[in-house]
Amino acid sequence: MSTLPPSDLVLRAPRAVVDGTERPVAVVVTAGRVVDLLDLDADVPAVTEVRLADDEVLLPGLVDTHVHVNEPGRTEWEGFASATRAAAAGGITTIVDMPLNSVPVTLDPASLAVKRAAAQGQCVVDVGFWGGAVPGNAPDLPGLHAAGVFGVKCFLLDSGIEEFPPLDVEGLRAACREQAAVDGLLLAHAEDPAEIAAAAHPGGPSYADFEASRPPSAEATAIRTLVSVARETGARVHVVHLSSAAGLAEVAAAKAEGVRITVETCPHYLSLDAAAVPDGNTFFKCCPPIRGGAEQDALWAGLRSGTIDCVVSDHSPCTADLKRRDTGDFGVAWGGIASLQIGLPVVWTAARARAVPLAEVVGWMATRTADLVGLTDRGRLAPGAVADLAVFAPEERWTVRGADLEHRNAVTPYEGLELTGRVRSTWRRGRRLAAGDPPTGELLRAR
């Protein structure tokens, strides 16, 4: 019999995602970290022992690196308390907050301090922060890096928020030079403003008209510009929310050339089809738009080939009135999909229909997102990793009701959709999170 002191927890899972495959395992946790992975029925003295049901799979906690929390300033859209509760309910144990939609936007160390102060004591899961790159603030980027942001985000066209204007090519070059000097990461919303301006911009309820106003060619052109500047400066760049095959082709060419570029896509681009979006239902509006089945097929192929690195929510919530369902006008409605809590079931439902294994999905939504921001001690089940875990029932069927979600506003294009797969519990540092627990999430700094 072992003479070692008991571990805090042994969690026995007949099915668990480990190193990209499913297998049975006993996860041994001490002081909030995984200390060993053993055979399922290994003799392990532990203070607490939990065995998962046969229909459950143990996953590492997901890492979502694209979340708009909006607090302070637009907390009625979303806030740290509600966003992190939603994350936990969806099996997400780490989020990284975007620098815009809050007031102030996160453009320098002082505004980052305001954001961190707003988050302090409210977070159920761990939270990191992106900074922002806008015209004229390149000199502030080294200070943001030193203050612990995970990188900086820019727009190459109007962001929709006056406080966060876009970069032109010279501004992009200046920001990339600053990031290259510290080996920091620059994220870009890549749509070309000239191509968008040249496209027709009718208002009204036609989704087809709205989609045509943001053509895939605009995404491809902007990525080409980003790649050119990354090649020139040596910066690491990341394309957010890729939606199109044309954009994917540009990324693939850049990667083949050796440009330091990564790319993400989102649950809505992998699951929703433009042909099925009802006219006037502005809950489906996002930019770039949800596109058709051929574009979706290309994104899935890009994920499976490794050209697309990861899947994130781009959780971009707002109050219901800003979606303008009263008029159904896609021209004036706020663009953004709120899906933080349900991203895993949405992606898994679509993956399952394509015979994509759950372990691949976990790689895109946990391991690769963690690696993107340098948090290599999470997003995986491995000795030394933080014991952030999710218990997922991949065959459970349920129906989305916006009113049942933890998001601050019940605004979702997934209303009434039946999904397969449900998160049954989420664990932070080896402790199961429960409603009413005090918020113990940490505010992270890049390493």
Side-chain angles (χ1 to χ4, degrees):
M1 189 166 187
S2 174
T3 59
L4 295 174
S7 298
D8 299 332
L9 169 72
V10 59
L11 210 161
R12 301 186 189 275
R15 298 171 64 190
V17 172
V18 181
D19 292 333
T21 60
E22 275 192 38
R23 66 178 177 88
V25 70
V27 179
V28 184
V29 177
T30 297
R33 287 191 177 265
V34 177
V35 295
D36 214 345
L37 299 180
L38 302 175
D39 291 341
L40 178 62
D41 294 313
D43 182 15
V44 186
V47 173
T48 303
E49 180 168 324
V50 175
R51 190 180 184 99
L52 268 59
D54 289 341
D55 68 337
E56 296 175 335
V57 183
L58 183 65
L59 314 179
L62 305 186
V63 177
D64 192 336
T65 55
H66 194 148
V67 179
H68 294 268
V69 176
N70 307 331
E71 186 176 4
R74 293 187 173 93
T75 309
E76 70 275 14
W77 294 17
E78 190 73 277
F80 286 102
S82 53
T84 58
R85 284 197 306 269
I92 299 163
T93 50
T94 303
I95 66 171
V96 187
D97 172 59
M98 280 291 166
L100 71 158
N101 300 353
S102 57
V103 181
V105 290
T106 312
L107 301 180
D108 53 34
S111 54
L112 175 63
V114 172
K115 179 73 72 76
R116 290 177 66 89
Q120 190 67 47
Q122 292 205 73
C123 301
V124 176
V125 302
D126 293 353
V127 178
F129 301 92
W130 298 110
V134 299
N137 86 321
D140 292 312
L141 300 186
L144 273 170
H145 176 81
V149 298
F150 286 88
V152 296
K153 162 81 174 291
C154 73
F155 277 72
L156 302 185
L157 80 171
D158 180 23
S159 72
I161 296 292
E162 184 178 348
E163 312 91 53
F164 205 96
L167 295 179
D168 61 15
V169 174
E170 284 305 313
L172 177 63
R173 185 173 289 115
C176 280
R177 283 175 178 153
E178 293 292 350
Q179 289 302 95
V182 294
D183 198 30
L185 183 63
L186 181 131
L187 284 65
H189 179 129
E191 290 181 282
D192 183 73
E195 292 209 24
I196 297 290
H201 284 270
S206 168
Y207 184 78
D209 287 349
F210 167 65
E211 186 190 0
S213 75
R214 316 281 297 218
S217 60
E219 197 169 38
T221 299
I223 293 172
R224 204 173 305 127
T225 298
L226 180 66
V227 167
S228 175
V229 174
R231 183 189 302 117
E232 173 190 337
T233 61
R236 290 192 297 131
V237 297
H238 179 77
V239 177
V240 298
H241 49 52
L242 185 76
S243 74
S244 69
L248 179 64
E250 295 293 335
V251 171
K255 286 191 170 191
E257 184 190 336
V259 174
R260 297 204 296 167
I261 186 169
T262 50
V263 61
E264 68 190 35
T265 192
C266 305
H268 38 283
Y269 300 127
L270 296 171
S271 64
L272 301 176
D273 188 332
V277 175
D279 284 349
N281 191 339
T282 51
F283 284 6
F284 287 83
K285 180 180 177 180
C286 59
C287 299
I290 293 159
R291 305 198 189 276
E295 303 281 6
Q296 190 176 104
D297 290 344
L299 296 178
W300 278 101
L303 277 166
R304 302 211 71 186
S305 71
T307 304
I308 299 176
D309 297 272
C310 53
V311 178
V312 298
S313 67
D314 187 13
H315 178 68
S316 186
C318 66
T319 53
D321 60 301
L322 293 177
K323 279 296 191 179
R324 300 303 303 267
R325 283 296 302 278
D326 55 335
T327 64
D329 189 341
F330 282 97
V332 297
W334 176 260
I337 303 291
S339 65
L340 185 61
Q341 183 171 335
I342 59 175
L344 175 59
V346 167
V347 176
W348 169 237
T349 299
R352 187 172 175 271
R354 294 171 181 264
V356 176
L358 178 61
E360 284 194 48
V361 173
V362 172
W364 303 328
M365 302 184 76
T367 314
R368 292 189 189 174
T369 44
D371 290 350
L372 177 71
V373 292
L375 294 173
T376 53
D377 64 349
R378 60 190 72 200
R380 66 208 76 213
L381 297 180
V386 292
D388 291 351
L389 313 165
V391 175
F392 186 61
E395 304 303 321
E396 182 176 340
R397 294 181 179 273
W398 62 287
T399 300
V400 178
R401 303 295 179 202
D404 296 336
L405 302 178
E406 295 288 348
H407 305 157
R408 185 175 291 273
N409 295 285
V411 177
T412 174
Y414 300 103
E415 182 73 37
L417 184 68
E418 185 180 78
L419 298 177
T420 301
R422 191 163 199 166
V423 174
R424 289 186 177 164
S425 65
T426 301
W427 300 63
R428 182 184 176 277
R429 304 300 193 274
R431 297 187 62 181
R432 180 173 178 161
L433 297 175
D437 284 351
T440 59
E442 298 177 21
L443 304 186
L444 304 174
R445 295 178 186 270
R447 299 164 184 168

